Each structure stands twice: as structure tokens, then as C-alpha cells.
């Protein structure tokens, strides 16, 4: 086989693989498609891509006026749930998080949407909201904070299953996670609730790509790579 033929076949194979994972190429580099699926009311979701748009452009057609952003890879303690959402004086979205506020640039600290972050939002459309977004794929990285002798924080952690499985159960996804965690929750709450509630995530429940959970930890940890644990996929630093 000629070198030219090999190059053509390789290019076709790479293109097919990229298409399988929702990857597209443009003038600024590789972009990945990601579908955001939210229910009406309170949601937390993980964004595995960094879009090109500003926050104003990105959230322009979303049925919400306020979005909170939590950097799950941050070393410094970031305001988050304490024990439970109901007991927390913070509520779900607080000024100490990065905020996007519709039509109020003076209050907004989130000007650019970032990947590897967890977003908190109250969707005012009771039927929910679905949108496909495009952006540069980012590496999964997370830091678990533990009790400082007072309150025990619940860390927001994103779920990414792209490239590993179409669907995955919670026990498979969290297998081997060495943080000493004892509680894992999803977010719940109607549109008209000022604060969200937490619903325990049971084992055997299917987890979806782009979802997020709130977890405790008894051991500080930084995780690099998907949480679906194996030596080839993630390294607990």
C-alpha cells in the first residue's frame, strides 16, 4: 500500500473516531458537542467543554436569570453546601461563587463560561430545557474538601462518561474512589423553591454524562481523570 493511501486511510479513521465522540474541527481547533439536559426547577450540571461564547451569549436563551459556577478543581475552599442544602445558610447560589446575573453586569462575576466546572441553576420552565453546546474538551479534575473541624462540606462533583460508556450505574462510576465518602446526593426542588433539596443517589442508578452530584469526604483528595476508576483512566494524586 502506498504512503499516500495509508495517510488517506488514517485521516478517514481519525475522522470517523472524532465523529463517534461528537468532535468537530474548525479554524480554532477541536470542538466537542455536549448535550445539556435540565429538568424544571433546581439543577446542577457539569460542563466538560469550554465554549467560545461569553456568558451573556451562552445563557441568552436559557430560561433562568441567575447561574452559579463552582470550580470543582479549586484548591482553596469555595462556598458550597454544608451538611445539607436545607440546613445551609448559603442556599444554592451565593455571591461568593462566580455568578452570572441576566442584565446586571455589575453583579456578574462570571463573564466567560468555563469547562470542568459545576453550574447551579433554577430552570423556570417547568417542562425543562435541552441544549447542545460546542466547546473545547477539558480534562476532568476534582478536589475533595473535608471537614475543617466544624461543618462538613458537600463537594460539587461532575459526571463525565464520554468515551467510556453510553450509560453507567452509580456503583460502577464511583468504584474505587478513595475519599472515604459516605453520602452522595443529586439536587432536587421545584421552580418556586428558594432553596433546593438533596436526594440520595442510590447504587445501581444510571448516571448521565454531564450530570453532577454533591458528595462528602473524610479524606482530602485531588483526582485527575474520569471518576470511572482504573489505573489507565485516573490517578488519585
Amino acid at each position: 500500500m502506498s504512503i499516500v493511501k495509508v495517510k488517506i486511510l488514517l485521516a478517514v479513521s481519525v475522522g470517523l473516531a472524532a465523529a463517534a465522540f461528537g468532535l468537530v474541527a474548525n479554524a480554532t481547533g477541536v470542538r466537542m458537542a455536549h448535550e445539556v439536559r435540565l429538568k424544571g426547577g433546581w439543577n446542577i450540571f457539569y460542563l466538560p467543554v469550554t465554549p467560545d461564547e461569553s456568558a451573556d451569549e451562552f445563557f441568552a436563551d436559557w430560561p433562568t436569570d441567575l447561574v452559579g459556577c463552582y470550580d470543582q478543581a479549586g484548591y482553596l475552599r469555595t462556598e458550597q453546601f454544608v451538611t445539607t442544602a436545607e440546613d445551609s445558610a448559603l442556599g444554592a447560589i451565593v455571591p461568593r461563587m462566580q455568578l452570572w446575573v441576566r442584565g446586571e453586569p455589575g453583579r456578574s462575576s462570571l463573564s466567560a463560561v468555563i469547562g470542568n466546572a459545576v453550574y447551579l441553576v433554577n430552570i423556570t420552565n417547568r417542562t425543562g430545557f435541552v441544549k447542545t453546546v460546542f466547546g473545547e474538551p477539558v480534562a476532568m479534575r476534582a478536589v475533595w474538601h473535608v471537614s475543617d473541624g466544624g461543618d462538613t462540606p458537600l463537594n460539587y462533583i461532575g459526571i463525565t462518561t464520554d468515551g467510556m460508556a453510553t450509560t453507567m450505574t452509580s456503583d460502577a462510576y464511583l468504584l474505587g474512589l478513595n475519599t472515604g465518602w459516605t453520602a452522595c446526593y443529586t439536587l432536587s426542588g421545584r421552580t418556586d423553591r428558594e432553596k433546593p433539596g438533596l436526594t440520595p443517589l442510590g447504587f445501581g442508578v444510571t448516571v448521565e454524562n454531564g450530570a453532577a452530584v454533591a458528595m462528602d469526604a473524610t479524606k482530602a483528595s485531588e483526582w485527575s481523570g474520569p471518576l470511572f476508576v482504573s489505573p489507565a483512566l485516573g490517578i488519585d494524586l
Side-chain angles (χ1 to χ4, degrees), residues 135-159:
E136 183 178 349
V138 295
M140 171 73 173
R141 218 172 125 258
V143 172
W144 276 262
H145 299 290
V146 300
S147 173
D148 57 5
D151 294 316
T152 300
L154 292 177
N155 302 273
Y156 299 122
I157 303 296
I159 292 173

PDB file of all heavy atoms in Angstrom, residues 135-159:
ATOM      1  N   GLY A 135     -17.713  23.150  22.384  1.00  0.00           N
ATOM      2  CA  GLY A 135     -16.590  23.794  23.029  1.00  0.00           C
ATOM      3  C   GLY A 135     -15.359  22.924  23.014  1.00  0.00           C
ATOM      4  O   GLY A 135     -15.402  21.757  22.593  1.00  0.00           O
ATOM      5  N   GLU A 136     -14.271  23.485  23.463  1.00  0.00           N
ATOM      6  CA  GLU A 136     -13.018  22.738  23.545  1.00  0.00           C
ATOM      7  C   GLU A 136     -13.083  21.764  24.707  1.00  0.00           C
ATOM      8  O   GLU A 136     -13.373  22.159  25.838  1.00  0.00           O
ATOM      9  CB  GLU A 136     -11.858  23.705  23.737  1.00  0.00           C
ATOM     10  CG  GLU A 136     -10.498  23.036  23.762  1.00  0.00           C
ATOM     11  CD  GLU A 136      -9.369  24.033  23.900  1.00  0.00           C
ATOM     12  OE1 GLU A 136      -9.628  25.251  23.774  1.00  0.00           O
ATOM     13  OE2 GLU A 136      -8.223  23.592  24.130  1.00  0.00           O
ATOM     14  N   PRO A 137     -12.845  20.455  24.487  1.00  0.00           N
ATOM     15  CA  PRO A 137     -12.910  19.490  25.592  1.00  0.00           C
ATOM     16  C   PRO A 137     -11.853  19.776  26.649  1.00  0.00           C
ATOM     17  O   PRO A 137     -10.752  20.234  26.328  1.00  0.00           O
ATOM     18  CB  PRO A 137     -12.659  18.147  24.911  1.00  0.00           C
ATOM     19  CG  PRO A 137     -12.209  18.431  23.534  1.00  0.00           C
ATOM     20  CD  PRO A 137     -12.527  19.839  23.194  1.00  0.00           C
ATOM     21  N   VAL A 138     -12.214  19.547  27.901  1.00  0.00           N
ATOM     22  CA  VAL A 138     -11.292  19.782  29.012  1.00  0.00           C
ATOM     23  C   VAL A 138     -11.087  18.496  29.797  1.00  0.00           C
ATOM     24  O   VAL A 138     -11.924  17.591  29.764  1.00  0.00           O
ATOM     25  CB  VAL A 138     -11.821  20.886  29.964  1.00  0.00           C
ATOM     26  CG1 VAL A 138     -11.881  22.222  29.260  1.00  0.00           C
ATOM     27  CG2 VAL A 138     -13.202  20.510  30.506  1.00  0.00           C
ATOM     28  N   ALA A 139      -9.983  18.414  30.504  1.00  0.00           N
ATOM     29  CA  ALA A 139      -9.685  17.237  31.325  1.00  0.00           C
ATOM     30  C   ALA A 139     -10.477  17.304  32.625  1.00  0.00           C
ATOM     31  O   ALA A 139     -10.644  18.365  33.218  1.00  0.00           O
ATOM     32  CB  ALA A 139      -8.187  17.168  31.626  1.00  0.00           C
ATOM     33  N   MET A 140     -10.962  16.142  33.052  1.00  0.00           N
ATOM     34  CA  MET A 140     -11.679  16.037  34.317  1.00  0.00           C
ATOM     35  C   MET A 140     -10.692  16.144  35.480  1.00  0.00           C
ATOM     36  O   MET A 140      -9.704  15.414  35.532  1.00  0.00           O
ATOM     37  CB  MET A 140     -12.409  14.688  34.375  1.00  0.00           C
ATOM     38  CG  MET A 140     -13.032  14.351  35.711  1.00  0.00           C
ATOM     39  SD  MET A 140     -14.512  15.335  36.051  1.00  0.00           S
ATOM     40  CE  MET A 140     -15.086  14.559  37.562  1.00  0.00           C
ATOM     41  N   ARG A 141     -10.932  17.072  36.385  1.00  0.00           N
ATOM     42  CA  ARG A 141     -10.112  17.212  37.580  1.00  0.00           C
ATOM     43  C   ARG A 141     -10.999  17.665  38.721  1.00  0.00           C
ATOM     44  O   ARG A 141     -11.859  18.520  38.529  1.00  0.00           O
ATOM     45  CB  ARG A 141      -8.991  18.230  37.336  1.00  0.00           C
ATOM     46  CG  ARG A 141      -7.684  17.818  37.998  1.00  0.00           C
ATOM     47  CD  ARG A 141      -6.535  18.726  37.576  1.00  0.00           C
ATOM     48  NE  ARG A 141      -5.918  19.258  38.767  1.00  0.00           N
ATOM     49  CZ  ARG A 141      -6.120  20.485  39.218  1.00  0.00           C
ATOM     50  NH1 ARG A 141      -6.888  21.320  38.569  1.00  0.00           N
ATOM     51  NH2 ARG A 141      -5.543  20.876  40.315  1.00  0.00           N
ATOM     52  N   ALA A 142     -10.824  17.096  39.902  1.00  0.00           N
ATOM     53  CA  ALA A 142     -11.680  17.452  41.028  1.00  0.00           C
ATOM     54  C   ALA A 142     -10.880  17.406  42.325  1.00  0.00           C
ATOM     55  O   ALA A 142      -9.954  16.603  42.468  1.00  0.00           O
ATOM     56  CB  ALA A 142     -12.874  16.505  41.117  1.00  0.00           C
ATOM     57  N   VAL A 143     -11.250  18.275  43.247  1.00  0.00           N
ATOM     58  CA  VAL A 143     -10.642  18.310  44.575  1.00  0.00           C
ATOM     59  C   VAL A 143     -11.751  18.133  45.608  1.00  0.00           C
ATOM     60  O   VAL A 143     -12.777  18.812  45.544  1.00  0.00           O
ATOM     61  CB  VAL A 143      -9.895  19.643  44.813  1.00  0.00           C
ATOM     62  CG1 VAL A 143      -9.436  19.742  46.255  1.00  0.00           C
ATOM     63  CG2 VAL A 143      -8.700  19.768  43.868  1.00  0.00           C
ATOM     64  N   TRP A 144     -11.538  17.201  46.544  1.00  0.00           N
ATOM     65  CA  TRP A 144     -12.495  16.989  47.624  1.00  0.00           C
ATOM     66  C   TRP A 144     -12.001  17.697  48.879  1.00  0.00           C
ATOM     67  O   TRP A 144     -10.878  17.476  49.341  1.00  0.00           O
ATOM     68  CB  TRP A 144     -12.652  15.496  47.927  1.00  0.00           C
ATOM     69  CG  TRP A 144     -13.623  14.804  47.029  1.00  0.00           C
ATOM     70  CD1 TRP A 144     -14.933  14.513  47.283  1.00  0.00           C
ATOM     71  CD2 TRP A 144     -13.373  14.298  45.713  1.00  0.00           C
ATOM     72  NE1 TRP A 144     -15.499  13.866  46.214  1.00  0.00           N
ATOM     73  CE2 TRP A 144     -14.565  13.726  45.234  1.00  0.00           C
ATOM     74  CE3 TRP A 144     -12.240  14.285  44.887  1.00  0.00           C
ATOM     75  CZ2 TRP A 144     -14.679  13.137  43.995  1.00  0.00           C
ATOM     76  CZ3 TRP A 144     -12.342  13.712  43.631  1.00  0.00           C
ATOM     77  CH2 TRP A 144     -13.549  13.145  43.201  1.00  0.00           C
ATOM     78  N   HIS A 145     -12.869  18.564  49.427  1.00  0.00           N
ATOM     79  CA  HIS A 145     -12.564  19.228  50.691  1.00  0.00           C
ATOM     80  C   HIS A 145     -13.209  18.441  51.829  1.00  0.00           C
ATOM     81  O   HIS A 145     -14.299  17.891  51.680  1.00  0.00           O
ATOM     82  CB  HIS A 145     -13.102  20.657  50.691  1.00  0.00           C
ATOM     83  CG  HIS A 145     -12.498  21.519  49.621  1.00  0.00           C
ATOM     84  ND1 HIS A 145     -11.196  21.926  49.653  1.00  0.00           N
ATOM     85  CD2 HIS A 145     -13.029  22.033  48.482  1.00  0.00           C
ATOM     86  CE1 HIS A 145     -10.937  22.674  48.601  1.00  0.00           C
ATOM     87  NE2 HIS A 145     -12.027  22.746  47.859  1.00  0.00           N
ATOM     88  N   VAL A 146     -12.540  18.399  52.978  1.00  0.00           N
ATOM     89  CA  VAL A 146     -13.051  17.662  54.131  1.00  0.00           C
ATOM     90  C   VAL A 146     -13.400  18.641  55.242  1.00  0.00           C
ATOM     91  O   VAL A 146     -13.111  19.836  55.151  1.00  0.00           O
ATOM     92  CB  VAL A 146     -12.019  16.625  54.630  1.00  0.00           C
ATOM     93  CG1 VAL A 146     -11.709  15.618  53.537  1.00  0.00           C
ATOM     94  CG2 VAL A 146     -10.734  17.320  55.086  1.00  0.00           C
ATOM     95  N   SER A 147     -13.972  18.126  56.304  1.00  0.00           N
ATOM     96  CA  SER A 147     -14.344  18.952  57.445  1.00  0.00           C
ATOM     97  C   SER A 147     -13.115  19.652  58.027  1.00  0.00           C
ATOM     98  O   SER A 147     -12.034  19.064  58.135  1.00  0.00           O
ATOM     99  CB  SER A 147     -14.998  18.090  58.525  1.00  0.00           C
ATOM    100  OG  SER A 147     -15.223  18.847  59.695  1.00  0.00           O
ATOM    101  N   ASP A 148     -13.294  20.914  58.379  1.00  0.00           N
ATOM    102  CA  ASP A 148     -12.196  21.662  58.994  1.00  0.00           C
ATOM    103  C   ASP A 148     -12.335  21.700  60.516  1.00  0.00           C
ATOM    104  O   ASP A 148     -11.767  22.541  61.184  1.00  0.00           O
ATOM    105  CB  ASP A 148     -12.140  23.085  58.441  1.00  0.00           C
ATOM    106  CG  ASP A 148     -13.460  23.832  58.635  1.00  0.00           C
ATOM    107  OD1 ASP A 148     -14.375  23.269  59.287  1.00  0.00           O
ATOM    108  OD2 ASP A 148     -13.579  24.969  58.148  1.00  0.00           O
ATOM    109  N   GLY A 149     -13.100  20.767  61.045  1.00  0.00           N
ATOM    110  CA  GLY A 149     -13.359  20.727  62.477  1.00  0.00           C
ATOM    111  C   GLY A 149     -14.714  21.287  62.833  1.00  0.00           C
ATOM    112  O   GLY A 149     -15.211  21.110  63.943  1.00  0.00           O
ATOM    113  N   GLY A 150     -15.335  21.953  61.866  1.00  0.00           N
ATOM    114  CA  GLY A 150     -16.675  22.488  62.066  1.00  0.00           C
ATOM    115  C   GLY A 150     -17.653  21.781  61.161  1.00  0.00           C
ATOM    116  O   GLY A 150     -17.910  20.590  61.308  1.00  0.00           O
ATOM    117  N   ASP A 151     -18.179  22.528  60.199  1.00  0.00           N
ATOM    118  CA  ASP A 151     -19.128  21.942  59.260  1.00  0.00           C
ATOM    119  C   ASP A 151     -18.428  21.051  58.249  1.00  0.00           C
ATOM    120  O   ASP A 151     -17.267  21.251  57.910  1.00  0.00           O
ATOM    121  CB  ASP A 151     -19.878  23.052  58.519  1.00  0.00           C
ATOM    122  CG  ASP A 151     -20.775  23.850  59.451  1.00  0.00           C
ATOM    123  OD1 ASP A 151     -21.467  23.219  60.272  1.00  0.00           O
ATOM    124  OD2 ASP A 151     -20.766  25.084  59.354  1.00  0.00           O
ATOM    125  N   THR A 152     -19.151  20.052  57.785  1.00  0.00           N
ATOM    126  CA  THR A 152     -18.637  19.169  56.741  1.00  0.00           C
ATOM    127  C   THR A 152     -19.209  19.603  55.399  1.00  0.00           C
ATOM    128  O   THR A 152     -20.419  19.577  55.213  1.00  0.00           O
ATOM    129  CB  THR A 152     -19.026  17.709  57.011  1.00  0.00           C
ATOM    130  OG1 THR A 152     -18.476  17.305  58.257  1.00  0.00           O
ATOM    131  CG2 THR A 152     -18.501  16.802  55.914  1.00  0.00           C
ATOM    132  N   PRO A 153     -18.352  20.025  54.461  1.00  0.00           N
ATOM    133  CA  PRO A 153     -18.879  20.471  53.175  1.00  0.00           C
ATOM    134  C   PRO A 153     -19.268  19.308  52.284  1.00  0.00           C
ATOM    135  O   PRO A 153     -18.716  18.222  52.378  1.00  0.00           O
ATOM    136  CB  PRO A 153     -17.696  21.237  52.578  1.00  0.00           C
ATOM    137  CG  PRO A 153     -16.497  20.545  53.139  1.00  0.00           C
ATOM    138  CD  PRO A 153     -16.885  20.120  54.532  1.00  0.00           C
ATOM    139  N   LEU A 154     -20.249  19.551  51.430  1.00  0.00           N
ATOM    140  CA  LEU A 154     -20.572  18.615  50.361  1.00  0.00           C
ATOM    141  C   LEU A 154     -19.987  19.184  49.078  1.00  0.00           C
ATOM    142  O   LEU A 154     -20.335  20.282  48.658  1.00  0.00           O
ATOM    143  CB  LEU A 154     -22.091  18.440  50.228  1.00  0.00           C
ATOM    144  CG  LEU A 154     -22.784  17.723  51.379  1.00  0.00           C
ATOM    145  CD1 LEU A 154     -24.296  17.690  51.149  1.00  0.00           C
ATOM    146  CD2 LEU A 154     -22.260  16.311  51.547  1.00  0.00           C
ATOM    147  N   ASN A 155     -19.077  18.461  48.473  1.00  0.00           N
ATOM    148  CA  ASN A 155     -18.368  18.939  47.295  1.00  0.00           C
ATOM    149  C   ASN A 155     -19.179  18.684  46.035  1.00  0.00           C
ATOM    150  O   ASN A 155     -19.696  17.588  45.832  1.00  0.00           O
ATOM    151  CB  ASN A 155     -17.026  18.212  47.171  1.00  0.00           C
ATOM    152  CG  ASN A 155     -16.155  18.400  48.399  1.00  0.00           C
ATOM    153  OD1 ASN A 155     -15.417  19.356  48.501  1.00  0.00           O
ATOM    154  ND2 ASN A 155     -16.247  17.461  49.345  1.00  0.00           N
ATOM    155  N   TYR A 156     -19.290  19.684  45.178  1.00  0.00           N
ATOM    156  CA  TYR A 156     -19.935  19.507  43.887  1.00  0.00           C
ATOM    157  C   TYR A 156     -18.974  18.779  42.952  1.00  0.00           C
ATOM    158  O   TYR A 156     -17.861  19.251  42.713  1.00  0.00           O
ATOM    159  CB  TYR A 156     -20.284  20.849  43.258  1.00  0.00           C
ATOM    160  CG  TYR A 156     -21.233  21.694  44.052  1.00  0.00           C
ATOM    161  CD1 TYR A 156     -20.874  22.970  44.469  1.00  0.00           C
ATOM    162  CD2 TYR A 156     -22.505  21.236  44.363  1.00  0.00           C
ATOM    163  CE1 TYR A 156     -21.748  23.770  45.182  1.00  0.00           C
ATOM    164  CE2 TYR A 156     -23.383  22.026  45.087  1.00  0.00           C
ATOM    165  CZ  TYR A 156     -23.004  23.302  45.485  1.00  0.00           C
ATOM    166  OH  TYR A 156     -23.864  24.071  46.193  1.00  0.00           O
ATOM    167  N   ILE A 157     -19.385  17.655  42.405  1.00  0.00           N
ATOM    168  CA  ILE A 157     -18.530  16.853  41.533  1.00  0.00           C
ATOM    169  C   ILE A 157     -19.293  16.512  40.252  1.00  0.00           C
ATOM    170  O   ILE A 157     -20.419  16.027  40.309  1.00  0.00           O
ATOM    171  CB  ILE A 157     -18.085  15.545  42.233  1.00  0.00           C
ATOM    172  CG1 ILE A 157     -17.363  15.856  43.550  1.00  0.00           C
ATOM    173  CG2 ILE A 157     -17.207  14.717  41.306  1.00  0.00           C
ATOM    174  CD1 ILE A 157     -16.065  16.627  43.397  1.00  0.00           C
ATOM    175  N   GLY A 158     -18.664  16.744  39.101  1.00  0.00           N
ATOM    176  CA  GLY A 158     -19.304  16.472  37.825  1.00  0.00           C
ATOM    177  C   GLY A 158     -19.155  15.026  37.392  1.00  0.00           C
ATOM    178  O   GLY A 158     -18.281  14.293  37.857  1.00  0.00           O
ATOM    179  N   ILE A 159     -20.020  14.612  36.491  1.00  0.00           N
ATOM    180  CA  ILE A 159     -20.002  13.258  35.941  1.00  0.00           C
ATOM    181  C   ILE A 159     -19.723  13.339  34.441  1.00  0.00           C
ATOM    182  O   ILE A 159     -20.405  14.068  33.720  1.00  0.00           O
ATOM    183  CB  ILE A 159     -21.351  12.550  36.174  1.00  0.00           C
ATOM    184  CG1 ILE A 159     -21.534  12.279  37.675  1.00  0.00           C
ATOM    185  CG2 ILE A 159     -21.447  11.251  35.382  1.00  0.00           C
ATOM    186  CD1 ILE A 159     -22.897  11.742  38.045  1.00  0.00           C
TER     187      ILE A 159
END
